[in-house]
Amino acid sequence: VGNYKRTVKRIDDGHRLCNDLMNCIHERARIEKVYAQQLTEWAKRWKQLVEKGPQYGTVERAWCAFMSEAEKVSELHLEVKGSLMNEDFEKIKNWQKEAFHKQMMGGFKETKEAEDGFRKAQKPWAKKLKEVEAAKKAYHAACKEEKLAISRETNSKADPALNPEQLKKLQDKVERSKQDVLKTKEKYEKSLKELDNATPQYMENMEQVFEQCQQFEEKRLRFFREVLLEVQKHLDLSNVASYKNIYRELEQNIKTADAVEDLRWFRANQGPGMSMNWPQFEEWSADLNRTLSRREKKKASDGVTLTGINQTGDQVSQPNKHSSLSVQSNTVQSVQSSYNPFEDEEDTGSTVSEKEDNKIKNVSSYEKNQSYPTDWSDEESNNPFSSTDANGDTNPFDEDTPPAMEVRVRALYDYEGQEQDELSFKAGDELTKMENEDEQGWCKGRLDNGQVGLYPANYVEPIQ
């Protein structure tokens, strides 16, 4: 009796499992989005660096093909994110709303109906079971009383102090107790028989309500299987034709890289095959002298002449401050004007343009179109290629850590971390918020003891 509650609880668990599945899909969608964003940022940064770097020809195009692959894969993962949220997440949400109906007083209509059905089916049998238990208790009590009366009678026969009248009372007590035992036994057996007769109907009624619960649960289980199959289709890029084409195209671009062709191009444009402007005798001309003077002044005022190529990283020898800054400002403008597909959510940390500005300084110290000094000398000290810093002393693969926004906050309530990556604190404790609230209402923070983890955003307030 009452064990049907495990079946009824399964209905509430079904509603909770819908929430869990939605949260699971939502987190995966966020991962897909972040991955797509990182691919896009990586592709933009390295495309600029390769195009400005010393690599040339077909190998440069093969290298840049990886950036094109990243941009295309980023678009596919954005489509995955959209499918997960717009199709799968919404489908579960709508199904949950249709399958579970909340009541005014709390709980679900389906839970109450199952509870009432089981209770109604069990009530007649439970009543008879109660009667059986009472009859059993009365029978056992009569048996105990009979045994006690027989024991007293036996002991009284051995006692010479008892008169015949007292002995007669004890014998009558034994007789009555035997009759009580027979009556209670008969009643106990009768109630047990009635219970046995009611059991088939009870089983049928309970089975009927149980089958209704089974059918409701079957709908949920089948729906979950259907949704999980759709999620699998959305996540599986191996069956997407465009995904296969991306890597087929990447392979073709890499295979078209031709070292002989690149060397031939470099010989024709940068080596012995390039057109030469050999020095020739030139007559002096006053007009030509004035023209050259004006050109030289104009060049000096523009401030774009480079006098060396041995600068590395942030240590740049700047004959003219204006010329060195102009390259950086153009780079930042180009990055800021680029389209960001992830503008629908707030992102903490440095912006793409800030990252681009930092990364550009860390790769190569010279570009493919860099000007070389016209002044020359055969002395070792003036050879621009003898410097150990010619190729830069910084590592292009060092990741820049974006500056985090840190705010001191105070706990409003006690919170006990449920997972390993969650913080625990008491009301009134102070901690440092490291990242803003995400879509699920969680913030990342650091306790004063150095522990870093997640906590509910609405459990704290900023310290004024």
Side-chain angles (χ1 to χ4, degrees), residues 413-439:
Y413 319 101
D414 294 349
Y415 182 73
E416 188 70 22
Q418 304 299 315
E419 303 291 344
Q420 292 183 353
D421 60 346
E422 296 181 14
L423 299 177
S424 299
F425 48 75
K426 301 290 184 182
D429 290 353
E430 295 183 2
L431 58 151
T432 301
K433 181 174 76 172
M434 300 172 63
E435 292 183 7
N436 283 332
E437 178 182 355
D438 62 14
E439 293 179 352

mmCIF file of all heavy atoms in Angstrom, residues 413-439:
data_model
loop_
_atom_site.group_PDB
_atom_site.id
_atom_site.type_symbol
_atom_site.label_atom_id
_atom_site.label_comp_id
_atom_site.label_asym_id
_atom_site.label_seq_id
_atom_site.Cartn_x
_atom_site.Cartn_y
_atom_site.Cartn_z
ATOM 1 N N TYR A 413 23.436 35.551 0.288
ATOM 2 C CA TYR A 413 22.933 34.336 0.922
ATOM 3 C C TYR A 413 24.066 33.311 1.002
ATOM 4 O O TYR A 413 25.092 33.443 0.349
ATOM 5 C CB TYR A 413 21.768 33.725 0.113
ATOM 6 C CG TYR A 413 20.800 34.730 -0.442
ATOM 7 C CD1 TYR A 413 20.868 35.105 -1.782
ATOM 8 C CD2 TYR A 413 19.822 35.301 0.366
ATOM 9 C CE1 TYR A 413 19.983 36.034 -2.300
ATOM 10 C CE2 TYR A 413 18.935 36.227 -0.151
ATOM 11 C CZ TYR A 413 19.015 36.595 -1.487
ATOM 12 O OH TYR A 413 18.146 37.504 -1.996
ATOM 13 N N ASP A 414 23.828 32.295 1.806
ATOM 14 C CA ASP A 414 24.753 31.156 1.847
ATOM 15 C C ASP A 414 24.599 30.346 0.563
ATOM 16 O O ASP A 414 23.487 30.189 0.053
ATOM 17 C CB ASP A 414 24.458 30.253 3.045
ATOM 18 C CG ASP A 414 24.741 30.956 4.366
ATOM 19 O OD1 ASP A 414 25.343 32.046 4.339
ATOM 20 O OD2 ASP A 414 24.360 30.422 5.410
ATOM 21 N N TYR A 415 25.703 29.843 0.048
ATOM 22 C CA TYR A 415 25.638 28.953 -1.118
ATOM 23 C C TYR A 415 26.667 27.839 -0.956
ATOM 24 O O TYR A 415 27.835 28.090 -0.671
ATOM 25 C CB TYR A 415 25.914 29.705 -2.417
ATOM 26 C CG TYR A 415 25.810 28.804 -3.631
ATOM 27 C CD1 TYR A 415 24.567 28.369 -4.083
ATOM 28 C CD2 TYR A 415 26.950 28.355 -4.297
ATOM 29 C CE1 TYR A 415 24.463 27.527 -5.159
ATOM 30 C CE2 TYR A 415 26.845 27.515 -5.379
ATOM 31 C CZ TYR A 415 25.595 27.108 -5.803
ATOM 32 O OH TYR A 415 25.491 26.269 -6.884
ATOM 33 N N GLU A 416 26.206 26.596 -1.143
ATOM 34 C CA GLU A 416 27.076 25.414 -1.074
ATOM 35 C C GLU A 416 27.279 24.879 -2.487
ATOM 36 O O GLU A 416 26.296 24.520 -3.152
ATOM 37 C CB GLU A 416 26.431 24.338 -0.180
ATOM 38 C CG GLU A 416 27.339 23.150 0.098
ATOM 39 C CD GLU A 416 28.516 23.505 1.007
ATOM 40 O OE1 GLU A 416 28.406 24.510 1.733
ATOM 41 O OE2 GLU A 416 29.534 22.803 0.970
ATOM 42 N N GLY A 417 28.492 24.856 -2.983
ATOM 43 C CA GLY A 417 28.770 24.392 -4.342
ATOM 44 C C GLY A 417 28.311 22.958 -4.546
ATOM 45 O O GLY A 417 28.619 22.076 -3.738
ATOM 46 N N GLN A 418 27.577 22.720 -5.651
ATOM 47 C CA GLN A 418 27.079 21.386 -5.959
ATOM 48 C C GLN A 418 28.057 20.588 -6.810
ATOM 49 O O GLN A 418 28.006 19.362 -6.842
ATOM 50 C CB GLN A 418 25.732 21.487 -6.690
ATOM 51 C CG GLN A 418 24.674 22.273 -5.934
ATOM 52 C CD GLN A 418 24.326 21.644 -4.595
ATOM 53 O OE1 GLN A 418 24.133 20.443 -4.504
ATOM 54 N NE2 GLN A 418 24.258 22.459 -3.545
ATOM 55 N N GLU A 419 28.921 21.280 -7.546
ATOM 56 C CA GLU A 419 29.897 20.628 -8.426
ATOM 57 C C GLU A 419 31.298 21.066 -8.025
ATOM 58 O O GLU A 419 31.487 22.021 -7.260
ATOM 59 C CB GLU A 419 29.633 20.973 -9.893
ATOM 60 C CG GLU A 419 28.243 20.609 -10.379
ATOM 61 C CD GLU A 419 28.019 19.112 -10.482
ATOM 62 O OE1 GLU A 419 29.022 18.365 -10.464
ATOM 63 O OE2 GLU A 419 26.861 18.689 -10.564
ATOM 64 N N GLN A 420 32.304 20.381 -8.596
ATOM 65 C CA GLN A 420 33.687 20.703 -8.261
ATOM 66 C C GLN A 420 34.087 22.089 -8.729
ATOM 67 O O GLN A 420 34.963 22.720 -8.141
ATOM 68 C CB GLN A 420 34.628 19.651 -8.865
ATOM 69 C CG GLN A 420 34.491 18.275 -8.239
ATOM 70 C CD GLN A 420 35.483 17.287 -8.813
ATOM 71 O OE1 GLN A 420 36.176 17.600 -9.770
ATOM 72 N NE2 GLN A 420 35.558 16.098 -8.227
ATOM 73 N N ASP A 421 33.447 22.574 -9.823
ATOM 74 C CA ASP A 421 33.832 23.880 -10.362
ATOM 75 C C ASP A 421 32.982 25.010 -9.793
ATOM 76 O O ASP A 421 32.990 26.116 -10.328
ATOM 77 C CB ASP A 421 33.726 23.868 -11.890
ATOM 78 C CG ASP A 421 32.314 23.566 -12.359
ATOM 79 O OD1 ASP A 421 31.497 23.116 -11.535
ATOM 80 O OD2 ASP A 421 32.035 23.794 -13.562
ATOM 81 N N GLU A 422 32.254 24.776 -8.697
ATOM 82 C CA GLU A 422 31.424 25.808 -8.078
ATOM 83 C C GLU A 422 32.036 26.234 -6.751
ATOM 84 O O GLU A 422 32.677 25.436 -6.057
ATOM 85 C CB GLU A 422 29.998 25.304 -7.857
ATOM 86 C CG GLU A 422 29.267 24.996 -9.159
ATOM 87 C CD GLU A 422 27.844 24.525 -8.912
ATOM 88 O OE1 GLU A 422 27.353 24.697 -7.772
ATOM 89 O OE2 GLU A 422 27.225 23.975 -9.842
ATOM 90 N N LEU A 423 31.820 27.509 -6.389
ATOM 91 C CA LEU A 423 32.332 28.059 -5.148
ATOM 92 C C LEU A 423 31.314 27.862 -4.030
ATOM 93 O O LEU A 423 30.111 27.728 -4.276
ATOM 94 C CB LEU A 423 32.638 29.545 -5.311
ATOM 95 C CG LEU A 423 33.696 29.938 -6.348
ATOM 96 C CD1 LEU A 423 33.822 31.443 -6.425
ATOM 97 C CD2 LEU A 423 35.046 29.318 -5.988
ATOM 98 N N SER A 424 31.793 27.848 -2.795
ATOM 99 C CA SER A 424 30.932 27.814 -1.611
ATOM 100 C C SER A 424 31.267 29.041 -0.763
ATOM 101 O O SER A 424 32.448 29.370 -0.564
ATOM 102 C CB SER A 424 31.151 26.525 -0.812
ATOM 103 O OG SER A 424 30.837 25.395 -1.578
ATOM 104 N N PHE A 425 30.222 29.723 -0.223
ATOM 105 C CA PHE A 425 30.463 30.906 0.597
ATOM 106 C C PHE A 425 29.275 31.132 1.518
ATOM 107 O O PHE A 425 28.208 30.522 1.358
ATOM 108 C CB PHE A 425 30.735 32.148 -0.269
ATOM 109 C CG PHE A 425 29.754 32.345 -1.387
ATOM 110 C CD1 PHE A 425 28.460 32.813 -1.154
ATOM 111 C CD2 PHE A 425 30.119 32.057 -2.693
ATOM 112 C CE1 PHE A 425 27.561 32.993 -2.195
ATOM 113 C CE2 PHE A 425 29.218 32.236 -3.742
ATOM 114 C CZ PHE A 425 27.941 32.709 -3.474
ATOM 115 N N LYS A 426 29.472 31.980 2.479
ATOM 116 C CA LYS A 426 28.435 32.341 3.439
ATOM 117 C C LYS A 426 27.952 33.765 3.150
ATOM 118 O O LYS A 426 28.652 34.568 2.523
ATOM 119 C CB LYS A 426 28.974 32.264 4.873
ATOM 120 C CG LYS A 426 29.485 30.882 5.267
ATOM 121 C CD LYS A 426 28.343 29.902 5.406
ATOM 122 C CE LYS A 426 28.846 28.557 5.902
ATOM 123 N NZ LYS A 426 27.760 27.562 5.998
ATOM 124 N N ALA A 427 26.751 34.066 3.613
ATOM 125 C CA ALA A 427 26.213 35.419 3.454
ATOM 126 C C ALA A 427 27.146 36.420 4.138
ATOM 127 O O ALA A 427 27.561 36.232 5.281
ATOM 128 C CB ALA A 427 24.815 35.506 4.044
ATOM 129 N N GLY A 428 27.484 37.484 3.427
ATOM 130 C CA GLY A 428 28.392 38.494 3.955
ATOM 131 C C GLY A 428 29.825 38.335 3.487
ATOM 132 O O GLY A 428 30.610 39.277 3.592
ATOM 133 N N ASP A 429 30.178 37.153 2.970
ATOM 134 C CA ASP A 429 31.537 36.957 2.448
ATOM 135 C C ASP A 429 31.756 37.822 1.209
ATOM 136 O O ASP A 429 30.828 38.060 0.428
ATOM 137 C CB ASP A 429 31.774 35.484 2.080
ATOM 138 C CG ASP A 429 31.860 34.602 3.316
ATOM 139 O OD1 ASP A 429 31.878 35.165 4.423
ATOM 140 O OD2 ASP A 429 31.917 33.368 3.147
ATOM 141 N N GLU A 430 32.995 38.279 1.035
ATOM 142 C CA GLU A 430 33.347 39.070 -0.137
ATOM 143 C C GLU A 430 34.200 38.231 -1.086
ATOM 144 O O GLU A 430 35.018 37.416 -0.636
ATOM 145 C CB GLU A 430 34.101 40.337 0.271
ATOM 146 C CG GLU A 430 33.255 41.300 1.092
ATOM 147 C CD GLU A 430 33.994 42.583 1.424
ATOM 148 O OE1 GLU A 430 35.150 42.730 0.973
ATOM 149 O OE2 GLU A 430 33.421 43.447 2.122
ATOM 150 N N LEU A 431 33.989 38.435 -2.383
ATOM 151 C CA LEU A 431 34.780 37.744 -3.390
ATOM 152 C C LEU A 431 34.929 38.640 -4.607
ATOM 153 O O LEU A 431 34.333 39.726 -4.663
ATOM 154 C CB LEU A 431 34.147 36.409 -3.776
ATOM 155 C CG LEU A 431 32.716 36.427 -4.333
ATOM 156 C CD1 LEU A 431 32.525 35.260 -5.282
ATOM 157 C CD2 LEU A 431 31.702 36.285 -3.191
ATOM 158 N N THR A 432 35.689 38.172 -5.582
ATOM 159 C CA THR A 432 35.959 38.957 -6.786
ATOM 160 C C THR A 432 35.269 38.327 -7.981
ATOM 161 O O THR A 432 35.478 37.150 -8.268
ATOM 162 C CB THR A 432 37.472 39.021 -7.074
ATOM 163 O OG1 THR A 432 38.131 39.604 -5.944
ATOM 164 C CG2 THR A 432 37.743 39.871 -8.316
ATOM 165 N N LYS A 433 34.405 39.118 -8.661
ATOM 166 C CA LYS A 433 33.771 38.639 -9.884
ATOM 167 C C LYS A 433 34.741 38.832 -11.032
ATOM 168 O O LYS A 433 35.200 39.940 -11.302
ATOM 169 C CB LYS A 433 32.471 39.402 -10.150
ATOM 170 C CG LYS A 433 31.746 38.922 -11.395
ATOM 171 C CD LYS A 433 30.397 39.588 -11.577
ATOM 172 C CE LYS A 433 30.580 41.011 -12.087
ATOM 173 N NZ LYS A 433 29.297 41.625 -12.461
ATOM 174 N N MET A 434 35.016 37.724 -11.774
ATOM 175 C CA MET A 434 35.995 37.767 -12.848
ATOM 176 C C MET A 434 35.345 37.868 -14.222
ATOM 177 O O MET A 434 35.931 38.405 -15.151
ATOM 178 C CB MET A 434 36.877 36.520 -12.787
ATOM 179 C CG MET A 434 37.633 36.378 -11.481
ATOM 180 S SD MET A 434 38.486 34.781 -11.344
ATOM 181 C CE MET A 434 39.639 34.924 -12.706
ATOM 182 N N GLU A 435 34.138 37.302 -14.372
ATOM 183 C CA GLU A 435 33.430 37.329 -15.656
ATOM 184 C C GLU A 435 31.976 37.648 -15.421
ATOM 185 O O GLU A 435 31.407 37.319 -14.373
ATOM 186 C CB GLU A 435 33.558 35.985 -16.383
ATOM 187 C CG GLU A 435 34.940 35.678 -16.868
ATOM 188 C CD GLU A 435 35.005 34.355 -17.651
ATOM 189 O OE1 GLU A 435 33.922 33.787 -17.903
ATOM 190 O OE2 GLU A 435 36.109 33.935 -18.005
ATOM 191 N N ASN A 436 31.358 38.299 -16.407
ATOM 192 C CA ASN A 436 29.958 38.672 -16.294
ATOM 193 C C ASN A 436 29.049 37.449 -16.314
ATOM 194 O O ASN A 436 29.460 36.345 -16.664
ATOM 195 C CB ASN A 436 29.562 39.626 -17.422
ATOM 196 C CG ASN A 436 30.065 41.034 -17.180
ATOM 197 O OD1 ASN A 436 30.231 41.445 -16.033
ATOM 198 N ND2 ASN A 436 30.318 41.779 -18.240
ATOM 199 N N GLU A 437 27.791 37.691 -15.990
ATOM 200 C CA GLU A 437 26.778 36.624 -15.948
ATOM 201 C C GLU A 437 26.554 36.048 -17.341
ATOM 202 O O GLU A 437 26.462 36.778 -18.327
ATOM 203 C CB GLU A 437 25.479 37.212 -15.404
ATOM 204 C CG GLU A 437 24.321 36.229 -15.353
ATOM 205 C CD GLU A 437 23.062 36.887 -14.849
ATOM 206 O OE1 GLU A 437 23.124 38.064 -14.458
ATOM 207 O OE2 GLU A 437 22.004 36.223 -14.851
ATOM 208 N N ASP A 438 26.486 34.702 -17.425
ATOM 209 C CA ASP A 438 26.187 34.066 -18.704
ATOM 210 C C ASP A 438 24.688 33.895 -18.860
ATOM 211 O O ASP A 438 23.895 34.349 -18.025
ATOM 212 C CB ASP A 438 26.926 32.721 -18.826
ATOM 213 C CG ASP A 438 26.489 31.730 -17.751
ATOM 214 O OD1 ASP A 438 25.450 31.973 -17.100
ATOM 215 O OD2 ASP A 438 27.169 30.721 -17.573
ATOM 216 N N GLU A 439 24.267 33.218 -19.937
ATOM 217 C CA GLU A 439 22.846 33.082 -20.239
ATOM 218 C C GLU A 439 22.107 32.248 -19.202
ATOM 219 O O GLU A 439 20.890 32.368 -19.060
ATOM 220 C CB GLU A 439 22.677 32.436 -21.622
ATOM 221 C CG GLU A 439 23.165 33.315 -22.758
ATOM 222 C CD GLU A 439 23.003 32.646 -24.111
ATOM 223 O OE1 GLU A 439 22.654 31.453 -24.146
ATOM 224 O OE2 GLU A 439 23.220 33.323 -25.122
#
